[in-house]
């Protein structure tokens, strides 16, 4: 192909023009930014590693309640309370106050302080609290569920919340205060976890602004949303109405509109009412939080910026810490990881326990119907050996867990352990077990997860020790995808698996230990304990709750229920560039005191 | 030809259907997606279980669910409809969106590694084939198999420990003690003496020269603190340019064609003259501008070659173009090195430039050069890891293919009629040796989209491999199927392209 001279000249000129227009507008030498400089106490950047990528600005939905979403939610939202690392509920009176107006019926009034604002300047209002209540109470749901599969047969579930709705579901439609900032809820019967039922971050907290939901759902304003919620009656599976389409639209916005992997162009989708605001997201890689300038309603953070880096593997987290790319890590605990962290110059290792713990449950049927056989079996369980083998290498202080209801981080643990009778099972006592068995040689089938090396080790040690007393232990281990389906189906006599202590709150207790309840897989039934638990869920006083829980703990131990084995270990580490990071057992992790972090 | 392609495409569609049905159902029955809730003591475990079951549509048996999924996936075939529905992941994210993110991450990670591995592998393969059974051949073979057999997670972790953490520590005080410099020089000298072959005397001279040169260079770099304030400068570009001009001329045209050599040298001279004027422009660089400048540079080189005239202008133009590209590359590299101190002192970098995770430093603000260095410092280690493990197959494949061709009758004929060794190797042998390699490369590109699962995991990259694993881990067929679709379609497309390329390259093969 041939070109004429003119067309060549034009081509050249065009190329030159293109080359010049491709120049960046910015000049050279803008490469440095001073924000990363370390300053004395205030300001600076802290980088923290997370295992998963961020996926939703609403951590309260069933799909969105992953750890990382909860952590970002915690940093960008304030609340009436937060939970400290001694697992106490701490009130944040700068955000707002709540008071028990009456004990019978239990009535609680929540008031948000004036000047507490979303990051677009809107006051946090009673409508926001009402939306939180609506999403966390299942008040409007009228779905009928198949009792076997749990699938919805008919009716509607509006908000797919991850929160436990049993508490707020006891309430009637709340009363909104005239000041527009207060809300009063009345329970039909006393509810033990009332302080938690409303407003824990990432678990039905005041995370989602009502004015944004209203506008996204096509309502004219927040008042229209309030009126809508006011106008609909409590859902009843026995008297179903056709679904309210407007409420469905509102719920749909709450359920899915805040799910995103990238930073939305619409800033209303990530409003903050907490110490930090999200500034930037690189999907599956990093997320940047910067100080919320208006924030005064709660503990004010020292640092200006928190960067989250996504690092899945524990060794990669440790190497990133060593290379100065992150300042705080919380990798999965293992002996190797601990050793690697100890080898990082300047790093501080925080060792603690998680709220999850392994336990051995004995079925109250079959060979174990006889209490003496249960007691004998418990006497053979080498709990100290199990801890030695699985945890001593990581944590020299590791010890077996001695309570079914408390963990050592809680103040009530020590007293409960003293009284509950766990002292009888500190050491293996084969002679006594033999005596109790009286020459019998019962066959015991133990269920456990074969794909979890810790459980396999626990099982092997238990089998070895129990055999000495005359038990014939049968390996009932199943693969990772099968063992949990077998729970409670009667094909085994004992099971080794894990539970998660809720840390705060007591409604988890009847879920496991009450006669016939959902997670009571071994058929434990004790009238006295049931009575205590009935009282427990109606008790709103913390000291009284502890007292009742201690009594229940004792009942469980006295019935030779089985044994708690050990808590999972938890490790965190931080570099010598930062300060103020503390151990925390629950899922909030190192983030719980984000306002105490500082750059050295 | 058309009927052949249509036939292959129809067959591919059926393979895709069958394979996707199998993969979907195998993933669905591989575990229990509700496991985490079954043993949960949370009071609302049943509620969460029900929400998960709803999301994944567990009420429908897996084979029927597959057809529902297929219905959504089939909409991807409608062009421009943007109705592609591959379902949602366990966190409620649409798979189409997740695939977009993962694909970018994977391609960033593997593209450079694959291209470099292919180039280096082919080059090493040819050299070892030409020096069959020499010390060099054994050396390269040994190294290739050594790296091939190393577990990549181990290589990657070691690279991070020494290449990133160790090197960053070194950069704090970049002083090389004389004995370390001498040690590195000795290793290089030894390798050089092995590589050159020939008489022991020649080897000794080359080896000794290499040792002295490298040692002196390292000590010089240490004294001038080159690692903190690096740069090439005109002198290095001149020296390297002249050396490269000779090398390129030898490979492309042979030294007999003086005009080719002169065009190469002239291109270097033009580059040196342009060095200072172009700096001001480079300060304002954008990727588009670099691309345009690159094209212009090559055109200028070709023009220089054309201007030298002679009986074989084509050769001149090739040498001129290649040399212009190389010199331009050196000038750009020099500009990157000039930006290094600014990058090093950036508050976000904190004086530790080589990264162990991710693809970029969060919130790093800077111009084209700073960002370019940032990409480089993040990708260098995974790229090295991937090259090390994939080098072996390319090297060995090229070597055997080249050896086979070199023993052909037509090569002997070419030599007999007096064709120069350069022309025999580069024209007659090399091109034909490339034919089987085209197939390997096509297959590798298909596999490449599937992601380098282990490398991705170690370097904290959430690409296709991670998405696949995560899907399997959560017994969530949707992400698995998304990755599967991408990989299967690319693999089949490249397979077809390889077959077509084969027939185009080798006249003896006809597609029917």
């Amino acid at each position: 192909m041939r070109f004429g001279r003119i067309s060549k000249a034009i081509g050249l000129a065009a190329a030159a023009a293109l080359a010049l227009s491709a120049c960046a507008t910015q000049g050279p030498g803008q490469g440095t930014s001073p924000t990363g400089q370390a300053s004395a106490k205030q300001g600076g950047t802290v980088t923290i590693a997370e295992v998963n990528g961020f996926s939703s600005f609403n951590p309260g939905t069933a799909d969105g309640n992953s750890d990382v979403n909860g952590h970002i939610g915690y940093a960008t939202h304030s609340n009436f309370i937060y939970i400290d690392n001694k697992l106490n509920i701490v009130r944040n009176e700068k955000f707002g106050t709540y008071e028990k107006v009456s004990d019978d019926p239990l009535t609680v009034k929540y008031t948000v302080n004036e000047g507490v604002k979303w990051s677009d300047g809107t006051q946090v209002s009673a409508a926001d609290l009402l939306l939180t209540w609506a999403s966390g109470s299942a008040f409007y749901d009228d779905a009928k569920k198949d009792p076997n599969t749990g699938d919805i047969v008919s009716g509607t579930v509006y908000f797919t919340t991850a929160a436990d709705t049993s508490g707020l579901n006891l309430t009637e439609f709340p009363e909104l205060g005239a000041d527009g900032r207060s809300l009063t809820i009345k329970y039909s019967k006393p509810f033990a976890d009332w302080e938690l039922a409303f407003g824990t971050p990432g678990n039905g907290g005041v995370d989602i602004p009502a004015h944004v939901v209203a506008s996204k759902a096509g309502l004219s304003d927040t008042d229209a949303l309030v009126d809508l919620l006011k106008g609909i009656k409590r859902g009843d599976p026995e008297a179903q109405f056709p679904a309210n389409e407007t409420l469905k639209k509102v719920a749909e916005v709450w359920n899915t509109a805040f799910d995103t992997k990238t930073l939305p162009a619409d800033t209303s989708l990530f409003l903050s009412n907490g110490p930090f605001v999200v500034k930037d997201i690189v999907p599956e890689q990093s997320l940047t939080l910067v100080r919320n300038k208006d924030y005064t309603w709660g503990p004010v953070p020292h640092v200006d910026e928190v960067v989250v880096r996504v690092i899945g593997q524990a060794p990669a987290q440790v190497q990133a810490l060593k290379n100065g790319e992150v300042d705080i890590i919380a990798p999965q605990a293992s002996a190797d990881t601990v050793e690697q962290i100890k080898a990082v110059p300047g790093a501080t290792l925080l060792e603690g326990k998680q709220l999850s713990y392994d336990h051995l449950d004995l079925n109250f049927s079959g060979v174990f119907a006889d209490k003496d056989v249960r007691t004998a079996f418990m006497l053979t369980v080498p709990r100290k050996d199990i801890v030695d083998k699985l945890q001593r290498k990581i944590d020299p202080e590791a010890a077996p867990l001695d309570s079914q209801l408390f963990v050592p981080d809680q103040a009530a643990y020590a007293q409960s352990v003293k009284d509950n009778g766990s002292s009888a099972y500190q050491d293996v006592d084969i002679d006594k077990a033999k005596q109790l068995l009286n020459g019998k040689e019962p066959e015991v089938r133990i269920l456990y997860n074969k794909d979890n090396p810790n459980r396999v080790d626990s099982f092997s040690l238990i089998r070895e020790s129990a055999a000495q007393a005359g038990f014939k232990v049968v390996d009932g281990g199943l693969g990772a995808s099968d063992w949990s389906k077998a729970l409670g189906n009667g094909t085994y006599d004992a099971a080794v698996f894990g539970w998660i202590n809720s840390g705060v709150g007591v409604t988890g207790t009847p879920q496991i230990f009450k006669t016939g309840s959902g997670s009571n897989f071994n058929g434990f039934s004790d009238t006295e304990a049931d009575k205590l638990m009935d009282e427990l869920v109606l008790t709103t006083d913390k000291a009284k709750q502890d007292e009742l829980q201690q009594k229940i703990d004792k009942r469980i131990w006295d019935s030779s229920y089985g044994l708690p084995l050990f808590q999972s270990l938890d490790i965190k580490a931080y570099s010598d560039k930062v300060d103020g990071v503390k151990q925390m057992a629950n899922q909030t992790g190192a983030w719980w005191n984000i306002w105490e972090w500082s750059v050295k | 030809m058309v009927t052949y392609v249509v036939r292959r495409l129809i067959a591919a569609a059926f393979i895709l259907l069958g394979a996707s049905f199998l993969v979907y159902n195998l993933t669905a029955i591989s575990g229990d997606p509700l496991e985490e809730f079954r043993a949960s003591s949370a009071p609302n475990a049943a509620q969460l279980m029900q929400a998960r079951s709803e999301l994944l549509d567990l009420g429908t048996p897996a084979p029927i669910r597959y057809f529902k999924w297929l219905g959504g996936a089939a909409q991807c075939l409608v062009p421009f409809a943007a109705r592609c529905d591959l379902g949602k992941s366990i966190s409620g994210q649409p798979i189409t969106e997740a695939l977009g993110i993962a694909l970018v991450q994977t391609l960033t990670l593997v593209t450079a590694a694959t291209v470099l591995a292919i180039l280096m592998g082919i080059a090493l393969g040819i050299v070892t084939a030409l020096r069959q059974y020499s010390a060099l051949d054994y050396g390269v073979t040994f190294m290739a198999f050594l790296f091939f057999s190393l577990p990549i997670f181990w290589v990657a972790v070691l690279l991070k420990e020494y290449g990133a953490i160790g090197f960053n520590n070194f950069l704090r005080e970049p002083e090389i003690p004389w004995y370390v410099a001498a040690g590195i020089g000795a290793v290089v000298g030894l390798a050089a003496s092995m590589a050159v072959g020939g008489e022991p005397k020649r080897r000794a001279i080359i080896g000794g020269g290499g040792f002295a040169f490298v040692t002196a260079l390292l000590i010089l770099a240490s004294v001038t603190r080159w690692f903190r304030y690096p740069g090439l400068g005109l002198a290095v570009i001149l020296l390297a340019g002249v050396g490269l001009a000779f090398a390129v001329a030898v490979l492309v045209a042979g030294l007999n064609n003086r005009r080719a050599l002169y065009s190469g040298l002239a291109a270097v001279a033009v580059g040196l003259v342009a060095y200072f004027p172009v700096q001001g422009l480079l300060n304002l660089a954008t990727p588009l501008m670099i691309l345009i400048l690159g094209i212009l540079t090559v055109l200028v080189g070709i023009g220089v070659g054309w201007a030298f005239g002679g009986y074989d202008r084509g050769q001149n133009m090739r040498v001129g173009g290649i040399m212009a590209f190389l010199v331009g590359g050196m000038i750009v590299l020099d500009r990157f090195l000039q930006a290094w101190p600014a990058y090093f002192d950036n508050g976000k970098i904190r004086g530790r430039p080589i990264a162990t995770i991710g693809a970029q430093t969060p919130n790093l603000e800077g111009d084209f050069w700073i960002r370019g260095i940032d990409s480089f410092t993040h990708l260098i280690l995974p790229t090295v890891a991937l090259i090390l493990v994939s080098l072996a197959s390319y090297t060995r494949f090229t070597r055997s293919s080249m050896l086979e061709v070199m023993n052909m009758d037509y090569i002997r004929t070419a030599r007999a009629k007096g064709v120069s060794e350069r022309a025999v190797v580069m024209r007659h042998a090399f091109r034909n040796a490339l034919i089987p390699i085209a197939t390997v490369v096509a297959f590798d590109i298909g596999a490449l989209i599937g992601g380098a699962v282990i490398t991705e995991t170690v370097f904290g990259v959430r690409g296709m491999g991670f998405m696949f694993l995560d899907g399997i881990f959560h017994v969530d067929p949707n992400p698995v199927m998304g990755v599967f679709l991408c990989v299967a379609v690319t693999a089949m497309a490249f397979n077809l392209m390889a077959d077509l390329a084969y027939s185009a390259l080798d006249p003896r093969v006809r597609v029917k």
Side-chain angles (χ1 to χ4, degrees), chain A residues 21 24 78 95 106 118 127 156 165 189 220 233 377 438 498-499 524 568 575-576:
Chain A
S21 68
S78 292
F95 174 84
L106 176 62
W118 293 101
T156 320
T165 55
K189 58 179 184 180
S220 55
K233 271 195 270 178
F377 194 79
N438 205 4
W499 268 329
F524 168 70
S568 307
S575 73
D576 51 6

Side-chain angles (χ1 to χ4, degrees), chain A residues 22 24 31 51 150 152 161-163 261 283 288 305 310-311 319 322-325 480-481 483 499-500 511 519, chain B residues 31 35 39-41 44 47 50 93 105 157 160-161 168 284 286 346 348 350 352 354-357 363 365 462:
Chain A
V51 171
I152 299 171
T161 177
K261 283 263 172 186
T288 307
E305 190 178 67
V310 182
I311 311 173
Q319 284 191 312
K322 197 172 176 186
N323 198 28
E325 284 165 273
S481 56
W483 74 271
W499 268 329
I500 300 176
Q511 170 72 11
S519 301
Chain B
E35 189 205 336
S40 162
S41 51
N44 59 337
Q47 177 193 335
Q50 188 253 325
Q93 190 193 19
Q105 306 247 352
V157 168
K160 280 161 74 163
E161 191 65 34
N168 285 337
L284 311 170
T286 63
N346 190 305
K348 305 279 179 209
R350 306 199 267 204
R352 299 189 71 84
I354 308 290
T356 63
I357 44 155
N363 311 311
E365 286 163 10
R462 300 291 173 111

Side-chain angles (χ1 to χ4, degrees), chain B residues 171-386:
Chain B
L171 282 182
R172 264 199 308 240
E173 274 309 319
E175 276 168 18
I176 308 173
W178 64 268
Y179 49 88
V180 175
I184 297 172
V187 171
V188 175
L190 197 68
S193 74
M194 265 169 63
V196 289
E199 297 290 310
K201 192 179 164 195
R202 184 170 169 232
R203 289 180 177 218
I205 291 171
I206 300 276
F211 163 74
F213 178 71
V214 171
T215 309
L217 201 65
L218 285 175
I219 290 174
L220 187 71
S222 170
V223 170
T224 58
R225 297 176 71 76
W226 188 86
F227 286 100
R228 280 298 292 276
Y229 305 100
L232 293 180
L234 276 181
V236 174
I237 296 180
L238 174 70
L239 285 177
V242 171
L244 282 170
F246 273 90
V248 171
V250 166
L251 286 178
V252 176
L255 281 181
N256 290 335
N257 185 353
R258 288 284 160 190
R259 286 173 198 270
L261 176 62
Y262 294 150
S263 6
L265 291 174
V268 175
V270 172
L272 289 176
V273 170
Y275 179 82
F276 285 109
V278 88
Q279 293 292 324
L281 194 60
L282 287 183
N283 285 340
L284 311 170
T286 63
L288 180 62
M289 183 173 107
I290 295 294
L291 180 71
I292 293 169
L293 284 180
I295 293 170
L296 278 181
T297 311
V298 173
L299 288 178
V300 167
I302 292 173
V304 168
W306 184 81
F308 269 90
Y311 66 91
D312 195 349
R313 269 191 174 155
Q315 285 191 340
N316 299 352
M317 285 156 71
R318 242 172 278 158
V319 173
I322 294 174
M323 276 319 295
F325 180 77
L326 292 176
V327 172
M330 278 194 282
I331 293 175
V332 169
L333 177 64
D334 180 68
R335 183 61 187 77
F336 272 120
L337 293 179
Q338 287 175 35
W340 178 263
Y343 178 76
F344 190 88
D345 296 329
N346 190 305
K348 305 279 179 209
I349 305 300
R350 306 199 267 204
R352 299 189 71 84
I354 308 290
T356 63
I357 44 155
Q360 68 192 79
T361 307
N363 311 311
L364 179 78
E365 286 163 10
D367 58 10
F368 172 81
W369 306 104
I370 298 281
R371 283 166 191 276
I373 295 179
D374 193 49
S375 290
F376 173 79
T377 53
H378 281 81
L379 290 177
I380 171 86
L381 294 185
T383 304
V384 168
L386 284 173

